[in-house]
Each structure stands twice: as C-alpha cells, then as structure tokens.
Amino acid sequence: MKFTLKDYQDEAVSKVLVNLKKASKRWREDGDKHAFSLTATTGAGKTVMAAAVFEALFHGDDNYDVEPDPGAVVIWFSDDPSLNEQSRYRLLQASDRLSISELVVVQNTFQREALEPGKIYFLNTQKLSKSSLLVRGREQDEETDPDAPPLPMPDSRSWTIWDTIQNTIDDPTLTLYLVLDEAHRGMRAATGAGEKTTIVRRLINGSGSVPGVPVVWGISATVERFNAAMADMQGRATLPSVVVDSGKVQASGLLKDTIILDVPKEAGQFDTVLVRRGTDKLKEISAAWTVYGAQQSDAGVVLPLMVLQVPNAPDRNDIGKALDTIFTQWPELQEDVVAHVFGEHSTQAFGRHSVPYISPERVQDSTWVRVLIAKDAISTGWDCPRAEVMVSFRPARDKTHITQLLGRMVRTPLARRIPGNDRLNSVDCLLPFFDEASVKDVAKALMSGGDGGDDLPGRRVLINPVELKPNPAIPEAVWDKLLSLPSQTLPKRHARPVKRLTSLAHELAVDGLLADAGKQAHAEMHKVLNGIRARYKAEIEAARKSVMTVEGRSVKADLKGGAMTFDDFLEEADYAVIEDAYRRAGRAISPDLTTTYSDYLARHEGDTSDMETAFMEAHVSIAALGLVPQARETLDAEAEKLANQWLARFRVEIKNLTDERQDVYRQIKAMSAYPMEVEIARPTSWMQGTTIRDANGAETPLPTFERHLLCDERGLFPEEFNSWEGEVVRAELGRSGTVAWYRNPSRSSQDSLGIIYDDGGAPKIVRPDFVFFVQQSDGTFTADIVDPHGIQFGDAIPKLKGLAQYAEQFGAHYRRIDAVAKIGERFRVIDLKEPSTRSAIASATSIKSLYESPIGADYLG
C-alpha cells in the first residue's frame, strides 16, 4: 500500500479478509454462498480499505497471514459509471501492488468466455440493462419480461456478459467475488425501484441458468441499509458485518471536526449577501492556508474552492449574477477559475460567463478550479477535500441534497487534523434560503455524517459561530505550562513492537535524524535474538526438531476382514515444509526482521561455501524461534524499549519538524501496546457558538467568561455549561491567584488533554473539563485540573480511577487534581493528589459513597 492504514482501517481489512477466506472455502468445498457488509461513515476511506483487501487477495500479505488466492476474480459493481471511474482511480492511488491492467472497465465491446483471475472488473447497471449490447442474445430476465424474445446478438460476439459471468462461476478453479459499492443505492425496496434493483437482485440471487455470484461483499454507509438491501437474498448465508467505529474515524483526523452553517437571522432574500459572505470566507481560508503553508515550509499546500450548489433546473442568469458577485467581492480572483459538473458535459453559459465542464473525479487535483457549480449529481462517490466553502441555492425542502453534498466535503485536505486550528479543520456552508428552524434538521443529519447512523463523537455542527483567537492578556508562561502538561494516547490493541521500531527507524532516517537507522534497529534486534537463542536453548532445540520432522499416521484396512490398523510415521521435513514454517515465524516476528536475521545467521554461523544450505539452516533456526512464545515476548519488549528510547532521544528534533512530520511520529507513538505520553498542541483558532435557541425559536446569548486562553474580540469566551459546571468555573476564577483557564476540548484533537481509563477491559480516554492556571508566590505558574464529575453515568468510577492513576503518575505537574460532583444540593470534591484518596478509589464500588465519605470535602464553602 502507498498509504499507512489507520488502526480502524487495518482492523477492518483484517476482518474482511477473514470473511472472504471463510466464504471462499465454503463455496469451493460445499457450494455454499455468502454475503457480508463493510459499513463505515462517509470519509472513512472505504476504497483505501478495499485496495488493501485486493492486494492481499491477489498477492498475499504476511501482515494479515493471507496467502494469495490464484482463482480470485472480482466484479466491482455500482449504479453509476462515474462512481466506478472514481473508485478505480482511488484504488490505483492507494495501491502499489495493483496494476492498471488488473483494473478492467467493462465496455460495450468487452467479450470473454470467462473472467480472468487476478483482475477487478468494473460494471454498472447500464451495462447490464436490457438495451446494452453486452446482454443481447441472452434469454430475458424472468422477473421483468418473461415472454419477450431475446434481442439478436451483435455480430462477432460469442458470449453475452451473462454468459461470461455464468462461465466464471461454473469454473471450479475460479472464485467470483461481487463487490457492491454504495450497496444500498442499487438495492432499494422493489417498489418503484425499476430495472436497477432487478439487475442487482439477479447478480445476487441468479436467474434462469445464471447462478448467483458465490461471494457478495457490500460496501455501504450503515448496517441497516445493507441488511435491508439483502433481505430478499435466496439460498445465501450472511457472515458478520464489518462495522467501523465512527468515533475512531472522526478521531483519526481524516474528517473535519467542525461544520459551520451560516443562515440569515431574518426572513428575506439574502442570496447576494451570503454569496459575498461566502466569497469572503473563501478568501480568508485561502489566506489561512497560505500562512500555514509558509509556516510549514510548504507554501500553497492547499488551494481551497467554493461550491455553488444550484437547483436541478437553475436560472442561468441567477448563476451569472452569483459569479459577478464573487468577482466583485474578490477582484484578484481570475475569472477562468470556474468549472461545472452538470450532466451536460459541455461548456455552459451563465450570464456573461462561459464555464467549462470538468468530471467530478478530476476536481481535487485540478487546482485551477476555485469555484465549482454543481447540482446534486456529485452527492455520492465524489470527494474534494479542497472544497471548504459551499453556498447552496437549494430551498429548505432540499435538505437531503444539501447534507449529501456536504457529506462529500468533510475530508481533511491533508488527510490529517491541523493541530489546534478549528478554522483549518472546518467546512463552511451558507444557506440563503433556510431559516434556523430548517437548518436544525441539516445539523442533525450532519452529526451522523449524513448517513443516518449514530452521531460522530467529536464532530460539531455550529450555526453562525464566532472565531476565537489566543487571548493577548494571557502571559506566555501560562501557554508554556499548558503545553508542558502530559496527555496520553490510547494503547493499540494488536500492537506489533518490531514493526513500530522499524517504522520509527525509517522515519528517523528520512528526516536525517539518525543515519542508517533501519540497519541499526535490525542490528540491535539481531543481538536480542542471539540472546534469546542462548537463554531458551533447550526450548528452541525442541522446536527445531519439530520443524525438521513431519509426524503422521497411516491407516491400513483389511477389506476382507474389515479390520483397521493405525501406524505412526515420522518423516524428515522437505524444503516446502521448512519454508512454510519460516514464513509463519516471519508473520509472528516480522517479515523484514526475519529476512535480515536469516542473512546474518547464514553469513556468521553457516557454511559460506554452501550458501544455499546456510540459508536453509538459518530458516530452520528462525522457524524454531517462532514456535517459542517466550522468544516473541522478549523480542517485543526489547523492540518497544528501543523505540521509546529513540523517541525520547530525538524528542526536541521531532518538535522542530513540520506538523505533517510530527503527526507521523505521533502515530508511531500511538502504535504502542501501552498508553504513551504525548504533548498538547497549542490552539490557535477555535470556532464557538454564541447563542442558545429555545423550543419557541427565541435566541439567548450564551454566558461569557473572562481570562480564557482563547477569546473573541472583546476578550470573552462564550460557553454553554450546565448550571453547576458554570458555578465551578466562577468559583475557580474567584480564587486568589487564578490568572487563566482552559476549557479542555471534549473531542479527540491534539489540543485536548486526554487521560486513559479502563472501562471493563476496554481502554478509553477521559478529557477533564477544566484546567486553571495559578500564579505562585515566586511568580511562576502552576496548573489545576478541576473536573466536574457526574456520578449518574455507568463509567463514573472507571473514569475516576483513571484520573487517580494519572494523578499518581503525573501529579508533580499540577498543584491540584480535583474531581467535583453535586450530591443532592451540595458540591463535594475529592483531592486526587492524596495517596489515601487514590487508595480508596482503587477499591471503590460506589461513587456516591466516595464523595460522602471522609475523603470528600465540601467544595463551595
């Protein structure tokens, strides 16, 4: 793969491959057909995951313990040829093992007796419709037109596409996999669905002499949509759905955290006003990206664009007026930066403007496009992370079209979160023809990614917010204190320490921080392996014997007397058996490390006059190592230790790198099986709501507070607290010496302080609400964590235990670490820096009892 998969992507790929392996085995052995889905929110990188699956399916992959399937054939099916082209383009972008010759677009001239193994064929409903040249000559579909005679087969064609599919399924050396992209689109309920639904059902269920495709893999936004689509499957079992955690997707940094909705505060026609405002936003975000690029030594890294979304039957003169408004508002913008993606694939006239067509999949890379005119045709399958502003001329009744298109604009342009910068982690949508009541529905839909699933943890939809900047009244030393506070990462469930070490070595070498880091890492691990061989000599010798011999049992049957006898046998292993054991050890340890260690053993311990035998002996030794559990445990521990030593050694040098490079090391840190300490990023721009709207539509300004690290132009921080959270903030600001405070973001961003806790065996992160900064008598600043800790939630005790463990490990960074709760009408506080308090928390079963016990104290007086 050209990309390093995110944890959730890697986990999903592994599960998909398990399903495919099961389905293929059951088809080949018993003729059983299966289906399953991969469901993930828009922007999760489903095509990237699919690319990793296809690489492993066709070429094998040691990381997933997958051998290549020599008979694998894939049909990638959607209801839109442009969606197929987009998917094909992304697969080629993501994979370094799939060639362009393996990704075949099925055209009308296509004809083969059977599909070829090792290829992905892109088909769409149009190619299988009754009027398509590919199907002429085949018997008609019994469900649609059972009495109609087949159309004559075109000259020179020997097989229809249905013949080809049938022959592929019938070939015992092949396994046909059907991938339904955006599965729910072609699989809606039959009522009014027409031929598209029938075609997909025919592929799945079969029809006439054409059997159903053996293995169906549906890619969809929600499990419910796919399950509904598969409800009428015939003779097919389902495998477990592969469901990607939407919270992990949002936390990954691939999706923008904030969606800003601008709507008029009064009724009336404000289209021109909001077009001007949209132009200003495009200008501002362009300038912000230019500044950021210059700071990162990569000027002009992102060139954002604005989408003008128009009705399906637009007034071309109105579009022309909107373009006039844009160029009047931003005179420096050249007039040849506009394109459209209408169904009419030709240059269109809008007022005095002549605007060329561009295919949707080309928009992202065509950086000359700064204004894109669109209807709703690109609401599915199209992605353009550069699209950061949208002005929609759709009326309120078109909420679905708006949310679908916005859902395609939420990818982060650099495939990562910009640390501490809400402005660059957001997308703006201006809705001239909406009132705030209607926009609430849009906001609700966008919280789930527009897919109808659960809300995305960490995503915010803000209506008419204000931008907050660093408070100029806050001393720089306070900022230094904030950035010194240790935050924690979630441990990786299936950590591979050796892979983590080699990844770190590669990046250190790329950045010129450690020459030949890869060689040094492997040399150190070779020493560790030598020590393991000495320490566990007896165990390894026993394992070596098992590698070198094959045990079995032969059966002799007396046909006359009916008796059976069993004889054990022991044979010396041949080359194939040894190599299979060596490859298994490589998967357990590390394919790269076993390669270099086998070379080391062959050259240092083998007979160099017979390198073939020397390498064979080395492979036997490594295969034996892989069978000794203590060897893997020791190697992993030493690899983890060396990686952490290097991360500590080069900590300052890494901090001096660009955000992009720092993010790479942050991800490597997070590959650990243990919570890792990471630094908080300095926030530079926050977007914050300013009003509360009640059920009657009346707006009330949010309470504002002074001395926050980020503030508006008046030096104030607006925030909606519950009543007692606000009381805690006021109480802390009233204490002597308090100079500043920080509303710790609840989302998974780098400017948020995160603390690990154990929720029934699952590690999670709690983000304490507030950090207050206090000036001490010597003029220095210290920090207090004050966390209003609700006791009504099921995870209240695990979170409190996590805070206590954090206090024990990192308490020296703070003056106070307090957990506050409201018990009845009283506020109670627990001091987590007290060892006796932490001891009581460790064995607690009732959180209310903790606060009411002597370890608790009254908080407000």
Side-chain angles (χ1 to χ4, degrees):
M1 290 290 291
K2 295 175 185 175
F3 306 138
T4 300
L5 297 183
K6 303 290 185 182
D7 281 354
Y8 72 83
Q9 293 174 329
D10 185 63
E11 184 179 343
V13 168
S14 179
K15 291 179 179 178
V16 168
L17 287 168
V18 167
N19 277 355
L20 291 179
K21 185 176 181 179
K22 286 180 182 177
S24 172
K25 183 175 185 291
R26 293 172 185 174
W27 164 251
R28 289 173 175 170
E29 293 180 357
D30 303 315
D32 293 339
K33 299 172 186 175
H34 290 78
F36 70 96
S37 69
L38 166 65
T39 60
T41 188
T42 300
K46 293 187 282 285
T47 314
V48 171
M49 291 183 256
V53 169
F54 295 144
E55 283 190 350
L57 187 66
F58 293 154
H59 304 287
D61 195 303
D62 288 337
N63 289 323
Y64 298 112
D65 195 14
V66 171
E67 297 289 339
D69 180 351
V73 186
V74 174
I75 292 177
W76 182 284
F77 190 88
S78 81
D79 70 347
D80 186 347
S82 63
L83 179 57
N84 269 356
E85 187 57 39
Q86 176 90 347
S87 300
R88 179 172 175 269
Y89 176 73
R90 283 196 205 142
L91 289 173
L92 288 171
Q93 270 190 322
S95 173
D96 54 8
R97 301 173 74 188
L98 298 174
S99 67
I100 195 167
S101 63
E102 293 174 323
L103 278 62
V104 181
V105 178
V106 176
Q107 305 289 6
N108 285 329
T109 56
F110 178 87
Q111 64 165 324
R112 287 193 62 86
E113 185 174 3
L115 301 176
E116 291 184 85
K119 293 185 183 294
I120 304 168
Y121 293 89
F122 291 86
L123 263 174
N124 57 72
T125 49
Q126 293 89 329
K127 291 294 190 295
L128 295 182
S129 65
K130 290 180 291 184
S131 59
S132 169
L133 293 175
L134 290 174
V135 305
R136 289 190 182 179
R138 186 75 193 192
E139 67 273 13
Q140 294 301 305
D141 187 348
E142 297 172 358
E143 296 183 49
T144 57
D145 200 357
D147 299 323
L151 295 170
M153 185 177 290
D155 295 340
S156 76
R157 184 180 294 281
S158 302
W159 306 278
T160 70
I161 190 64
W162 289 112
D163 294 327
T164 303
I165 291 171
Q166 179 178 348
N167 294 337
T168 304
I169 296 171
D170 290 344
D171 189 331
T173 67
L174 302 177
T175 300
L176 183 58
Y177 302 87
L178 173 64
V179 179
L180 293 176
D181 187 18
E182 301 286 352
H184 57 279
R185 284 171 56 84
M187 294 290 297
R188 297 186 181 94
T191 304
E195 191 181 7
K196 287 184 181 181
T197 301
T198 303
I199 289 170
V200 178
R201 285 210 310 269
R202 186 175 181 184
L203 281 167
I204 295 172
N205 295 333
S207 179
S209 61
V210 182
V213 175
V215 183
V216 176
W217 169 21
I219 299 177
S220 188
T222 64
V223 177
E224 291 76 13
R225 289 183 183 181
F226 181 78
N227 290 344
M230 295 287 124
D232 66 345
M233 287 189 307
Q234 299 169 8
R236 187 180 299 272
T238 55
L239 293 169
S241 297
V242 179
V243 182
V244 174
D245 184 338
S246 59
K248 292 181 179 179
V249 180
Q250 192 68 45
S252 72
L254 290 179
L255 304 182
K256 292 166 183 169
D257 293 320
T258 306
I259 298 174
I260 300 169
L261 302 179
D262 270 28
V263 296
K265 293 192 175 182
E266 302 174 9
Q269 293 290 327
F270 291 97
D271 50 329
T272 304
V273 174
L274 288 193
V275 169
R276 287 202 302 269
R277 181 168 170 78
T279 306
D280 287 340
K281 285 179 175 286
L282 178 63
K283 186 176 180 179
E284 290 166 7
I285 196 68
S286 299
W289 276 117
T290 299
V291 170
Y292 180 76
Q295 293 170 346
Q296 301 297 310
S297 304
D298 192 9
V301 67
V302 174
L303 287 172
L305 65 82
M306 176 167 64
V307 175
L308 290 180
Q309 188 189 31
V310 301
N312 285 346
D315 185 312
R316 293 173 179 271
N317 289 325
D318 286 347
I319 297 176
K321 290 176 183 177
L323 294 176
D324 289 337
T325 301
I326 291 170
F327 294 120
T328 300
Q329 192 70 11
W330 192 0
E332 296 81 7
L333 194 66
Q334 300 296 314
E335 295 200 9
D336 59 356
V337 298
V338 186
H340 75 84
V341 286
F342 288 4
E344 302 87 349
H345 294 187
S346 59
T347 298
Q348 299 291 304
F350 303 113
R352 65 181 182 83
H353 303 276
S354 183
V355 178
Y357 167 80
I358 186 170
S359 57
E361 66 272 10
R362 290 179 48 225
V363 175
Q364 172 64 18
D365 295 327
S366 301
T367 54
W368 62 269
V369 179
R370 305 299 303 280
V371 178
L372 184 69
I373 306 170
K375 298 178 185 177
D376 61 358
I378 56 173
S379 61
T380 300
W382 172 81
D383 288 296
C384 186
R386 289 199 302 118
E388 302 217 286
V389 180
M390 182 171 89
V391 179
S392 178
F393 293 112
R394 291 273 184 172
R397 66 175 178 274
D398 287 347
K399 291 187 290 286
T400 300
H401 294 305
I402 292 167
T403 54
Q404 284 179 342
L405 183 50
L406 268 176
R408 313 309 306 183
M409 295 170 59
V410 295
R411 290 182 187 266
T412 48
L414 301 180
R416 60 178 173 84
R417 182 178 286 110
I418 306 303
N421 195 320
D422 275 0
R423 178 70 269 176
L424 297 183
N425 294 325
S426 62
V427 59
D428 282 275
C429 178
L430 296 94
L431 302 169
F433 303 127
F434 271 60
D435 55 27
E436 287 205 34
S438 300
V439 89
K440 291 286 186 182
D441 294 333
V442 174
K444 184 177 179 181
L446 290 171
M447 282 301 298
S448 65
D451 297 321
D454 296 332
D455 284 357
L456 294 169
R459 173 171 288 186
R460 299 183 304 158
V461 180
L462 303 177
I463 301 172
N464 299 331
V466 64
E467 183 175 8
L468 306 180
K469 295 284 190 177
N471 191 334
I474 303 299
E476 187 63 24
V478 172
W479 287 99
D480 293 339
K481 183 61 183 177
L482 172 69
L483 303 186
S484 73
L485 302 178
S487 186
Q488 293 180 303
T489 63
L490 277 173
K492 187 175 174 64
R493 183 177 298 178
H494 304 293
R496 299 177 68 95
V498 175
K499 181 180 179 181
R500 177 175 181 251
L501 173 62
T502 53
S503 297
L504 174 61
H506 172 76
E507 303 304 338
L508 290 171
V510 166
D511 290 317
L513 301 181
L514 184 61
D516 295 324
K519 290 182 180 179
Q520 290 191 45
H522 278 222
E524 290 298 320
M525 293 303 100
H526 293 170
K527 294 176 185 177
V528 172
L529 289 168
N530 287 341
I532 290 170
R533 289 169 62 213
R535 182 177 179 183
Y536 300 105
K537 185 175 180 179
E539 292 89 339
I540 292 172
E541 187 59 36
R544 184 182 178 88
K545 288 179 181 177
S546 71
V547 172
M548 293 297 294
T549 55
V550 177
E551 296 182 12
R553 173 172 288 190
S554 61
V555 181
K556 294 180 181 178
D558 182 349
L559 298 179
K560 184 176 181 180
M564 285 189 182
T565 59
F566 298 87
D567 296 322
D568 294 332
F569 66 84
L570 197 67
E571 296 285 346
E572 185 174 343
D574 59 14
Y575 174 82
V577 172
I578 292 171
E579 286 303 290
D580 183 60
Y582 167 71
R583 284 194 298 271
R584 285 200 302 272
R587 295 184 192 119
I589 298 172
S590 160
D592 290 340
L593 182 57
T594 53
T595 298
T596 60
Y597 191 53
S598 65
D599 184 73
Y600 169 86
L601 290 177
R603 299 186 187 283
H604 289 81
E605 299 182 11
D607 181 359
T608 54
S609 65
D610 183 2
M611 291 305 295
E612 184 175 346
T613 300
F615 272 106
M616 177 68 75
E617 285 295 313
H619 285 193
V620 172
S621 297
I622 291 170
L625 272 170
L627 295 175
V628 179
Q630 301 95 318
R632 168 77 181 272
E633 293 168 5
T634 304
L635 180 66
D636 282 351
E638 291 300 316
E640 182 85 4
K641 180 180 176 181
L642 180 57
N644 291 341
Q645 287 175 351
W646 281 358
L647 285 166
R649 174 181 167 188
F650 296 103
R651 182 182 67 86
V652 175
E653 289 84 352
I654 290 170
K655 283 191 70 174
N656 291 329
L657 299 174
T658 64
D659 285 350
E660 179 180 15
R661 296 303 300 159
Q662 288 187 59
D663 192 58
V664 170
Y665 289 100
R666 180 181 285 268
Q667 291 181 44
I668 290 173
K669 265 194 173 184
M671 290 168 66
S672 173
Y674 308 95
M676 293 296 294
E677 182 181 339
V678 293
E679 294 168 335
I680 297 174
R682 181 167 181 155
T684 57
S685 167
W686 279 7
M687 306 304 297
Q688 197 80 351
T690 58
T691 61
I692 305 172
R693 187 182 183 90
D694 64 24
N696 298 320
E699 289 189 356
T700 304
L702 287 176
T704 56
F705 299 83
E706 297 180 334
R707 288 180 274 167
H708 191 270
L709 267 63
L710 293 103
C711 63
D712 62 17
E713 294 177 348
R714 302 171 298 160
L716 300 176
F717 181 83
E719 179 61 288
E720 180 181 5
F721 294 127
N722 66 34
S723 59
W724 62 282
E725 286 175 335
E727 289 188 57
V728 168
V729 172
R730 293 183 184 94
E732 293 296 330
L733 290 177
R735 295 186 190 276
S736 175
T738 302
V739 296
W741 66 291
Y742 188 64
R743 175 58 156 123
N744 192 43
S746 60
R747 58 190 184 276
S748 174
S749 55
Q750 293 176 28
D751 55 355
S752 176
L753 171 63
I755 295 173
I756 294 294
Y757 72 97
D758 186 329
D759 188 11
K764 295 181 180 179
I765 289 184
V766 58
R767 301 185 184 277
D769 287 335
F770 308 121
V771 181
F772 292 89
F773 298 91
V774 179
Q775 188 166 23
Q776 303 181 104
S777 58
D778 62 359
T780 61
F781 295 94
T782 186
D784 297 339
I785 287 179
V786 181
D787 187 34
H789 200 85
I791 66 171
Q792 69 272 30
F793 302 109
D795 59 357
I797 287 184
K799 284 182 177 178
L800 194 59
K801 290 181 177 180
L803 287 168
Q805 291 166 359
Y806 178 85
E808 183 171 359
Q809 185 175 0
F810 299 110
H813 290 265
Y814 301 91
R815 186 186 66 159
R816 294 159 51 214
I817 301 180
D818 287 352
V820 180
K822 192 172 185 180
I823 309 296
E825 294 303 316
R826 292 190 306 160
F827 286 89
R828 300 281 287 176
V829 61
I830 296 177
D831 180 0
L832 298 176
K833 288 200 69 176
E834 281 292 327
S836 59
T837 299
R838 295 197 296 270
S839 178
I841 290 171
S843 58
T845 57
S846 167
I847 192 166
K848 184 178 180 182
S849 298
L850 275 174
Y851 279 101
E852 292 178 333
S853 74
I855 71 168
D858 286 333
Y859 174 68
L860 295 178

